[in-house]
């Protein structure tokens, strides 16, 4: 909406968190994975993938905190890897 009104988009800086899930994707496309953040035993922050995917799964939005952004050149995520987290609050401004 703001973009349509002439506003310049703000650059979103993903927060580094640790993936607590494995994930595979095709190269050449950017993907976003819905995750919930949890405090790990070592004090770090883990991103836990929602069990169900799909645009029609509303609980994947209501039971998660935001998105993990996976760039085009990445093909897999291993548990323990650092990934970029975008909170829903940051996305809606």
């Amino acid at each position: 909406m703001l973009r349509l009104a002439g506003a310049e988009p703000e650059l979103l800086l993903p927060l580094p968190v640790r993936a607590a899930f494995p994930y595979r994707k095709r190269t050449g496309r950017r993907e976003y994975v819905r995750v919930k953040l949890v405090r790990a035993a070592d004090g770090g922050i883990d991103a836990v993938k929602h069990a169900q995917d799909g645009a029609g799964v509303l609980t994947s939005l209501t039971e998660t905190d935001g998105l993990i952004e996976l760039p085009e050149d990445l093909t897999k995520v291993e548990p323990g890897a650092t990934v970029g987290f975008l909170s829903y609050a940051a996305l809606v401004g």
Side-chain angles (χ1 to χ4, degrees), residues 73-84:
D73 60 341
L74 185 72
T75 58
K76 68 179 181 175
V77 173
E78 298 290 342
T82 300
V83 292

Side-chain angles (χ1 to χ4, degrees), residues 6-7 12 14 31-32 43 47 50-52 54-55 63-66 74 84 87:
L12 295 176
E31 289 189 21
Y32 297 88
H50 192 271
Q52 295 178 308
E63 296 176 356
T64 58
D65 300 308
L74 185 72
S87 74

Side-chain angles (χ1 to χ4, degrees), residues 28-44:
R29 58 186 275 174
R30 183 171 299 251
E31 289 189 21
Y32 297 88
V33 180
R34 296 174 196 129
V35 297
K36 180 176 185 163
L37 298 181
V38 296
R39 177 74 62 187
D42 66 0

Side-chain angles (χ1 to χ4, degrees), residues 13-66:
L13 295 175
L15 300 173
V17 296
R18 187 172 48 206
F21 59 92
Y23 192 81
R24 292 190 182 276
K25 71 175 208 52
R26 292 193 317 236
T27 187
R29 58 186 275 174
R30 183 171 299 251
E31 289 189 21
Y32 297 88
V33 180
R34 296 174 196 129
V35 297
K36 180 176 185 163
L37 298 181
V38 296
R39 177 74 62 187
D42 66 0
I45 298 175
D46 285 350
V48 178
K49 181 182 172 299
H50 192 271
Q52 295 178 308
D53 293 325
V57 182
L58 293 180
T59 56
S60 69
L61 292 173
T62 62
E63 296 176 356
T64 58
D65 300 308

